[in-house]
Amino acid sequence: MDRIYEIACELSSIPAVSGREDMGLHRLAELCGDYFDRYELTPVGSFIGRIDCGRIGAKTLLFDAHFDEVGFFVSEICEGGFLKVVNIGGIDPRILSASEVLIYGKRTITGVFTSKPPHLQEPGESEKPIKLTDLAVDTGYLKEQLSEIVSIGTPVAYKSPVERLQGDYITGKSFDDRICIAAILRALEFLKEKELPVNIAVQFSGGEEIGYKGAATASYSINPDFAVVLDVTNAYVPDAPDYRKDIKIGGGGSISYSAKTSRKLTDKTVAVARKNGIPYQLFAEPNRTGTNAGAVQTSRGGIPTVLISVPLKNMHTANEVVSLLDVYNVAKLISELAADGGIDL
Amino acid sequence: MLDLIKKFTAAFSVTGEETALRSVIEKEAAIYADGISTDPMGNLIVYKKGENSGKKLMIAAHMDEIGFVVTYIEDNGFIRVSNLGGINSISSSYHTVRFNNGTPGVLVFDSGTKPEDIKANKLFVDIGARSAKEAGKKIKIGDTCALTPVFQKLMNNRFTAKAFDDRIGCAVALDSLRNAKKTKYDTYYVFTVQEEVGCRGSKTASFSIMPDYAVALDVTTAGDVPGEKNQPVSLGKGAAIKIKDNSVICSKVIVDRLTALAEKHKIKYQYEILTAGGTDTSSMQLAGAGCDAGCISIPTRYIHTPMETIDFSDVKACSSLLTALTEEGME
């Protein structure tokens, strides 16, 4: 699990706001290129890596996790060194006030979201929801200096280091979905010396947060025979709806039964988990899963897909919380699934 | 280019029924093309061979406009309609319309409707008929209509018309095709259908072309009018290079290349971030294994109303920028 922590720290620090994955794609390739026989970077911000098993006529199993993260683009450079921004992906503006961000202009600078202190508020104002258009990012520069560094469209992302909490919990930014990239890389480490019954293709896809774009195009390019999509899912917290009660941090990967996935491949995944004594939990998502699963499933002539999610708290914030044990169990599960020759649909 | 703009805005071309405008464009484009074809969806694909045939550039401007389709005819001859695309019901009503067969009418809403309740289901068309039977001689269920063309010159070489969205994009594409001395790549000028109902034409066209690079031409909201906020694009400040809209985040290589070409040729430009609305850019970017896609936007006021308003200097800037890209390519 220390190894997963190590990979997670490296991955979390790479900036890759949706649609501008190119800002971090080369660092990702440096970090994980050696895991693959060959790899390529796509125009839609995805990393595609392949490991050939050497068997003639072998089928291809795809692992998908998305590389992009929610963030912002600069929309206006204002007097006094303030920046107006628009959100890229789903962000709750209530979490932003007074938080730090990094602004990836000609050089990278730090900014802080503005905050109206209690002293200056009208009575009752703090009860009202805040909108992103009410906030600005304060940089401390003069407008003229700032215009030299940033322009409209410059990406902005959370600034937050990875920290260990109690036990095997960790907190940090972009665990959605870098933690699943960590799981895939760890799974490839488990498989390293083994003979594989299938070719493995991996897509660390871009544009998930803005409509599953990298997954749709990369899986078209890979054309796999079956696919495992890994994403994060909201773990139960006290104010969450009742139906999420059974998604627990520490309970293992959450395997989804959904119309967007293959029941046969999902059953197979559950069977592999049981056979190997790997903890897992089940979740039913009747139609939408909010992940790449749907885009991968409907690529080309259709690809049988299973969705496994790592339980996570505080999704789309600078302090997402996951359990390293869950990540380890997901890594274990997908490596056993790949090693199991029996995926035959 | 004004000749093209006038011709294009006058032609009938409601979403799904783009035939009339397509023949107008085809006639204009034919002598500049190395190949011209219409695909099963109705997209007009104008091909120009490039100096370097290893790569393909696709340019898309949509021919269709928002409009109405007849849903049923009431006993007293009034014609009920449903919207095709994102109609602004308030600004469309109390305006004349023209059906695909040329029949004129007026678009109005149920008397006494409160402003907040004015939706497409309150709209009807009065063609002057006295009964359903009489109306049925001219109009049948499924017929489409659009607002009657308007074309008016304003001060400072600004113009107002219906359906500048996206006839102005079609005009820019064709003007650029006329002016291009050469094209670097095999270039496909595609005049697409059904953009207003979900970029459907560009989906299939880009799938059959499978471009390496793609640029859409479409209108974008100008924020320099009373009541608009957080929208930095202005009329007269040049071609708008799109950063994003609600359907796409433009590929950085295209944004950077258009910026560099604008700087090099001293073409006025501005950046555009649109938080609503989509363009053909998205479907081109996602065709097959994906490609580098971007968009040159024409700043436009009052989009999806009968009085869309543009500045001709912006239109010329957009055309020059597109020509620079088609002639010089990506490097």
Side-chain angles (χ1 to χ4, degrees):
Chain A
M1 279 191 290
D2 284 344
R3 176 70 188 130
I4 292 175
Y5 177 69
E6 211 175 283
I7 306 174
C9 288
E10 294 230 35
L11 286 168
S12 170
S13 70
I14 303 176
V17 176
S18 306
R20 286 290 172 269
E21 294 82 3
D22 47 344
M23 65 201 283
L25 213 47
H26 288 280
R27 257 181 78 189
L28 177 71
E30 269 168 41
L31 182 74
C32 69
D34 290 344
Y35 286 76
F36 303 98
D37 294 333
R38 57 189 200 280
Y39 73 82
E40 60 184 294
L41 309 178
T42 82
V44 195
S46 305
F47 170 100
I48 295 177
R50 291 170 185 274
I51 299 169
D52 297 323
C53 68
R55 289 168 200 262
I56 294 164
K59 294 196 168 174
T60 298
L61 171 64
L62 167 69
F63 291 149
D64 166 276
H66 71 86
F67 173 53
D68 62 314
E69 64 185 290
V70 296
F72 312 88
F73 283 180
V74 171
S75 58
E76 201 181 336
I77 303 163
C78 312
E79 291 301 332
F82 294 102
L83 296 172
K84 284 287 190 183
V85 296
V86 294
N87 62 303
I88 304 296
I91 288 176
D92 181 349
R94 290 176 302 177
I95 65 157
L96 296 176
S97 213
S99 69
E100 272 182 301
V101 287
L102 289 172
I103 301 150
Y104 294 91
K106 279 191 187 133
R107 58 177 203 273
T108 303
I109 59 173
T110 304
V112 175
F113 269 106
T114 49
S115 168
K116 198 172 180 185
H119 323 69
L120 305 182
Q121 292 177 9
E122 304 289 329
E125 195 176 329
S126 63
E127 307 292 315
K128 286 185 200 137
I130 200 158
K131 294 198 294 287
L132 183 54
T133 45
D134 298 332
L135 298 170
V137 176
D138 189 0
T139 65
Y141 286 88
L142 295 174
K143 185 182 177 184
E144 296 67 38
Q145 296 173 311
L146 195 54
S147 306
E148 293 290 308
I149 305 168
V150 306
S151 64
I152 291 175
T154 293
V156 176
Y158 293 137
K159 183 184 177 195
S160 177
V162 179
E163 304 266 13
R164 286 195 93 133
L165 302 177
Q166 299 309 304
D168 49 75
Y169 283 25
I170 58 170
T171 177
K173 74 174 230 341
S174 324
F175 287 166
D176 175 6
D177 189 26
R178 308 288 166 76
I179 207 67
C180 292
I181 297 184
I184 290 171
L185 293 179
R186 192 72 185 115
L188 296 180
E189 290 176 4
F190 293 150
L191 292 168
K192 206 164 180 191
E193 302 304 324
K194 291 192 180 156
E195 266 196 37
L196 291 171
V198 287
N199 298 320
I200 292 181
V202 164
Q203 60 185 36
F204 297 140
S205 38
E208 192 270 352
E209 302 289 359
I210 50 169
Y212 321 119
K213 299 187 166 188
T217 46
S219 49
Y220 182 91
S221 166
I222 294 167
N223 195 15
D225 296 287
F226 13 71
V228 178
V229 170
L230 296 186
D231 210 331
V232 295
T233 190
N234 287 303
Y236 183 72
V237 287
D239 57 351
D242 274 357
Y243 71 90
R244 298 207 81 92
K245 258 202 167 107
D246 289 335
I247 305 285
K248 292 196 183 75
I249 289 229
S254 163
I255 302 172
S256 168
Y257 276 97
S258 162
K260 293 268 181 190
T261 55
S262 152
R263 183 162 282 267
K264 212 165 168 184
L265 186 57
T266 307
D267 285 344
K268 174 81 196 171
T269 307
V270 172
V272 167
R274 289 172 71 95
K275 185 175 141 199
N276 293 281
I278 302 166
Y280 67 94
Q281 36 196 338
L282 297 179
F283 190 61
E285 290 165 292
N287 192 356
R288 284 188 64 244
T289 67
T291 70
N292 280 337
V296 173
Q297 186 199 33
T298 53
S299 179
R300 294 209 185 216
I303 299 164
T305 299
V306 60
L307 169 63
I308 308 170
S309 301
V310 173
L312 171 146
K313 297 178 200 170
N314 313 332
M315 199 183 288
H316 288 195
T317 73
N319 286 293
E320 297 177 326
V321 172
V322 295
S323 146
L324 288 171
L325 186 61
D326 287 334
V327 186
Y328 173 85
N329 281 324
V330 167
K332 205 77 198 147
L333 176 55
I334 63 169
S335 67
E336 292 298 345
L337 188 65
D340 191 295
I343 313 175
D344 201 4
L345 294 158
Chain B
M1 186 173 13
L2 265 180
D3 58 318
L4 296 175
I5 298 171
K6 270 189 196 157
K7 263 186 217 166
F8 292 178
T9 53
F12 187 90
S13 190
V14 168
T15 283
E17 214 169 341
E18 299 90 350
T19 323
L21 178 61
R22 188 171 62 228
S23 4
V24 174
I25 296 178
E26 190 169 356
K27 225 191 224 160
E28 296 289 337
I31 55 164
Y32 304 98
D34 293 324
I36 196 159
S37 63
T38 299
D39 75 6
M41 282 286 285
N43 298 301
L44 178 69
I45 301 175
V46 178
Y47 167 70
K48 200 159 164 61
K49 193 162 171 38
E51 290 182 318
N52 166 3
S53 289
K55 299 254 184 191
K56 290 186 257 186
L57 168 66
M58 174 171 173
I59 291 154
H62 68 90
M63 295 189 288
D64 64 310
E65 70 176 285
I66 54 174
F68 301 89
V69 58
V70 175
T71 51
Y72 71 97
I73 300 169
E74 294 191 349
D75 292 345
N76 45 16
F78 294 111
I79 297 160
R80 287 289 173 179
V81 292
S82 174
N83 60 306
L84 289 166
I87 290 289
N88 181 334
S89 298
I90 295 181
S91 66
S92 310
S93 46
Y94 294 97
H95 200 279
T96 56
V97 293
R98 197 176 65 185
F99 282 87
N100 40 354
N101 62 6
T103 308
V106 287
L107 183 73
V108 294
F109 50 79
D110 294 4
S111 187
T113 309
K114 289 195 212 114
E116 59 271 29
D117 294 333
I118 301 170
K119 307 263 159 59
N121 64 359
K122 302 282 184 200
L123 295 174
F124 63 91
V125 179
D126 181 355
I127 59 166
R130 285 167 295 194
S131 67
K133 202 174 161 212
E134 213 177 77
K137 283 182 192 153
K138 294 275 190 189
I139 305 298
K140 63 179 187 310
I141 288 171
D143 279 355
T144 55
C145 68
L147 300 172
T148 309
V150 178
F151 190 89
Q152 178 64 52
K153 188 168 191 288
L154 305 173
M155 289 171 69
N156 293 318
N157 233 4
R158 293 176 171 186
F159 293 87
T160 190
K162 173 215 71 154
F164 271 151
D165 178 5
D166 186 29
R167 308 295 158 72
I168 201 74
C170 296
V172 167
L174 200 50
D175 183 63
S176 172
L177 170 70
R178 293 202 294 207
N179 293 336
K181 291 177 204 74
K182 53 172 188 181
T183 54
K184 173 137 182 179
Y185 309 122
D186 279 355
T187 303
Y188 299 79
Y189 298 81
V190 183
F191 299 90
T192 63
V193 298
Q194 299 189 32
E195 190 270 353
E196 296 290 0
V197 286
C199 305
R200 295 176 189 168
S202 58
K203 265 187 196 131
T204 55
S206 53
F207 203 86
S208 67
I209 292 167
M210 288 287 188
D212 297 283
Y213 307 109
V215 172
L217 300 163
D218 210 333
V219 299
T220 192
T221 307
D224 57 346
V225 296
E228 283 278 2
K229 256 178 31 181
N230 306 314
Q231 176 50 260
V233 171
S234 302
L235 241 56
K237 290 201 175 158
I241 299 173
K242 188 187 288 293
I243 304 284
K244 74 171 284 273
D245 61 36
N246 216 12
S247 71
V248 72
I249 293 177
C250 295
S251 308
K252 187 151 192 301
V253 287
I254 301 284
V255 173
D256 289 349
R257 182 59 182 157
L258 290 173
T259 306
L261 286 168
E263 298 271 0
K264 179 180 167 192
H265 294 282
K266 304 201 164 39
I267 300 164
K268 251 181 156 180
Y269 73 98
Q270 49 190 329
Y271 286 125
E272 173 220 345
I273 288 188
L274 198 61
T275 49
T279 52
D280 282 338
T281 325
S282 57
S283 38
M284 294 193 288
Q285 191 180 46
L286 300 184
C291 73
D292 293 318
C295 179
I296 301 172
S297 300
I298 303 97
T300 306
R301 293 175 179 169
Y302 328 122
I303 291 174
H304 283 202
T305 78
M307 304 294 164
E308 297 179 332
T309 300
I310 51 124
D311 186 315
F312 193 56
S313 69
D314 295 331
V315 183
K316 283 195 289 195
C318 290
S319 175
S320 308
L321 186 53
L322 178 64
T323 308
L325 182 73
T326 53
E327 287 183 349
E328 293 170 46
M330 291 297 288
E331 57 211 71

Coordinates of all heavy atoms in Angstrom, one line a residue, chain A residues 201-232:
Chain A
A201 N -4.7 -3.4 -23.1 CA -4.6 -2.0 -23.5 C -5.1 -1.1 -22.4 O -6.0 -1.5 -21.6 CB -5.5 -1.8 -24.7
V202 N -4.5 0.0 -22.2 CA -4.9 0.9 -21.1 C -5.2 2.3 -21.7 O -4.4 2.8 -22.6 CB -3.7 1.0 -20.1 CG1 -3.9 2.2 -19.2 CG2 -3.6 -0.3 -19.3
Q203 N -6.3 2.9 -21.4 CA -6.5 4.3 -21.8 C -6.7 5.1 -20.5 O -7.5 4.9 -19.7 CB -7.7 4.4 -22.7 CG -9.0 4.0 -22.2 CD -10.1 4.0 -23.2 OE1 -9.9 3.8 -24.4 NE2 -11.3 4.4 -22.8
F204 N -5.7 6.1 -20.3 CA -5.9 7.1 -19.3 C -6.6 8.3 -20.0 O -5.9 9.1 -20.7 CB -4.6 7.4 -18.7 CG -4.0 6.3 -18.0 CD1 -2.6 6.0 -18.0 CD2 -4.7 5.4 -17.2 CE1 -2.0 4.9 -17.4 CE2 -4.2 4.3 -16.6 CZ -2.8 4.1 -16.6
S205 N -7.9 8.3 -20.0 CA -8.6 9.1 -21.0 C -8.8 10.6 -20.5 O -9.0 10.8 -19.3 CB -9.9 8.5 -21.3 OG -10.5 7.9 -20.2
G206 N -8.9 11.5 -21.5 CA -9.1 12.9 -21.2 C -10.6 13.2 -21.3 O -11.4 12.3 -21.8
G207 N -11.0 14.3 -20.9 CA -12.4 14.8 -21.2 C -13.5 14.1 -20.5 O -14.7 14.2 -21.0
E208 N -13.3 13.3 -19.5 CA -14.4 12.6 -18.8 C -15.4 13.5 -18.2 O -16.6 13.4 -18.3 CB -13.9 11.6 -17.8 CG -14.9 10.6 -17.3 CD -15.7 11.0 -16.1 OE1 -15.4 12.1 -15.5 OE2 -16.7 10.3 -15.7
E209 N -14.8 14.5 -17.5 CA -15.6 15.5 -16.8 C -16.5 16.4 -17.7 O -17.3 17.1 -17.2 CB -14.8 16.3 -15.8 CG -13.9 15.5 -14.8 CD -14.7 14.9 -13.7 OE1 -16.0 15.0 -13.7 OE2 -14.1 14.2 -12.9
I210 N -16.2 16.4 -19.0 CA -16.9 17.3 -19.9 C -17.7 16.4 -20.9 O -18.0 16.9 -22.0 CB -16.0 18.3 -20.6 CG1 -14.8 17.6 -21.2 CG2 -15.6 19.4 -19.6 CD1 -14.0 18.5 -22.1
G211 N -17.9 15.1 -20.6 CA -18.7 14.3 -21.5 C -18.0 13.1 -22.1 O -18.3 12.7 -23.2
Y212 N -17.1 12.5 -21.3 CA -16.6 11.2 -21.7 C -15.9 11.2 -23.1 O -15.9 10.2 -23.8 CB -17.7 10.1 -21.7 CG -18.7 10.3 -20.6 CD1 -20.0 10.5 -20.8 CD2 -18.2 10.3 -19.2 CE1 -20.9 10.7 -19.7 CE2 -19.1 10.5 -18.2 CZ -20.5 10.7 -18.4 OH -21.3 10.9 -17.4
K213 N -15.2 12.3 -23.4 CA -14.8 12.5 -24.8 C -13.5 11.6 -25.1 O -13.5 11.0 -26.2 CB -14.4 13.9 -25.0 CG -15.7 14.8 -24.8 CD -15.5 16.2 -25.2 CE -16.9 16.8 -25.3 NZ -17.0 18.1 -25.8
G214 N -12.6 11.6 -24.2 CA -11.4 10.8 -24.4 C -11.7 9.4 -24.5 O -11.1 8.6 -25.3
A215 N -12.6 8.9 -23.7 CA -12.9 7.5 -23.6 C -13.6 7.0 -24.9 O -13.2 6.0 -25.4 CB -13.8 7.2 -22.4
A216 N -14.5 7.9 -25.4 CA -15.2 7.5 -26.7 C -14.2 7.4 -27.8 O -14.2 6.4 -28.6 CB -16.2 8.5 -27.0
T217 N -13.2 8.3 -27.9 CA -12.3 8.3 -29.1 C -11.2 7.3 -28.9 O -10.8 6.6 -29.8 CB -11.7 9.7 -29.3 OG1 -11.3 10.2 -28.0 CG2 -12.8 10.6 -29.9
A218 N -10.7 7.2 -27.6 CA -9.6 6.2 -27.4 C -10.0 4.8 -27.6 O -9.4 4.0 -28.2 CB -9.0 6.4 -26.0
S219 N -11.3 4.5 -27.1 CA -11.7 3.1 -27.2 C -12.0 2.8 -28.7 O -11.9 1.6 -29.1 CB -12.8 2.7 -26.3 OG -13.8 3.7 -26.3
Y220 N -12.4 3.8 -29.5 CA -12.6 3.6 -30.9 C -11.2 3.2 -31.5 O -11.2 2.3 -32.3 CB -13.1 4.9 -31.6 CG -13.3 4.7 -33.1 CD1 -14.6 4.3 -33.6 CD2 -12.3 4.9 -34.0 CE1 -14.8 4.1 -34.9 CE2 -12.5 4.7 -35.3 CZ -13.7 4.3 -35.8 OH -13.9 4.1 -37.1
S221 N -10.2 3.9 -31.1 CA -8.9 3.7 -31.6 C -8.3 2.3 -31.2 O -7.8 1.6 -32.0 CB -8.0 4.8 -31.2 OG -6.6 4.5 -31.3
I222 N -8.6 1.9 -30.0 CA -8.1 0.6 -29.4 C -8.9 -0.6 -30.0 O -8.3 -1.6 -30.3 CB -8.1 0.6 -27.9 CG1 -7.1 1.7 -27.4 CG2 -7.7 -0.7 -27.3 CD1 -7.2 2.0 -25.9
N223 N -10.2 -0.4 -30.1 CA -11.1 -1.5 -30.5 C -10.9 -2.8 -29.7 O -10.6 -3.8 -30.2 CB -10.8 -1.7 -32.0 CG -12.0 -2.5 -32.6 OD1 -13.0 -2.7 -32.0 ND2 -11.7 -3.1 -33.8
P224 N -11.1 -2.7 -28.4 CA -10.9 -3.9 -27.5 C -12.0 -4.9 -27.6 O -13.0 -4.6 -28.2 CB -10.8 -3.3 -26.1 CG -11.7 -2.1 -26.2 CD -11.6 -1.6 -27.6
D225 N -11.8 -6.1 -27.0 CA -12.8 -7.1 -27.0 C -13.7 -7.0 -25.7 O -14.8 -7.4 -25.7 CB -12.2 -8.5 -27.1 CG -11.5 -8.6 -28.4 OD1 -12.2 -8.8 -29.4 OD2 -10.3 -8.6 -28.5
F226 N -13.1 -6.5 -24.6 CA -13.8 -6.2 -23.4 C -13.1 -5.1 -22.6 O -11.9 -4.9 -22.9 CB -14.1 -7.4 -22.5 CG -13.3 -8.6 -22.9 CD1 -11.9 -8.7 -22.6 CD2 -13.9 -9.7 -23.5 CE1 -11.2 -9.8 -22.9 CE2 -13.1 -10.9 -23.8 CZ -11.8 -10.9 -23.5
A227 N -13.8 -4.5 -21.7 CA -13.3 -3.4 -21.1 C -13.6 -3.3 -19.6 O -14.7 -3.7 -19.2 CB -13.8 -2.1 -21.7
V228 N -12.7 -2.8 -18.8 CA -12.9 -2.6 -17.4 C -12.8 -1.1 -17.2 O -11.7 -0.5 -17.5 CB -11.8 -3.3 -16.5 CG1 -12.1 -2.9 -15.0 CG2 -11.9 -4.8 -16.7
V229 N -13.9 -0.4 -16.8 CA -13.8 1.0 -16.5 C -13.7 1.2 -15.0 O -14.4 0.6 -14.3 CB -15.1 1.7 -17.1 CG1 -15.1 3.2 -16.6 CG2 -15.1 1.7 -18.6
L230 N -12.7 2.0 -14.6 CA -12.5 2.3 -13.2 C -12.8 3.8 -12.9 O -12.3 4.7 -13.7 CB -11.1 2.0 -12.8 CG -10.5 0.6 -12.8 CD1 -9.2 0.5 -12.2 CD2 -11.5 -0.4 -12.1
D231 N -13.6 4.0 -12.0 CA -13.8 5.4 -11.6 C -14.1 5.4 -10.1 O -14.0 4.4 -9.4 CB -15.0 6.0 -12.3 CG -14.9 7.5 -12.5 OD1 -14.2 8.2 -11.7 OD2 -15.4 8.1 -13.5
V232 N -14.3 6.6 -9.5 CA -14.6 6.7 -8.1 C -16.1 6.8 -7.9 O -16.8 7.2 -8.8 CB -13.9 8.0 -7.5 CG1 -12.4 7.8 -7.6 CG2 -14.3 9.2 -8.2

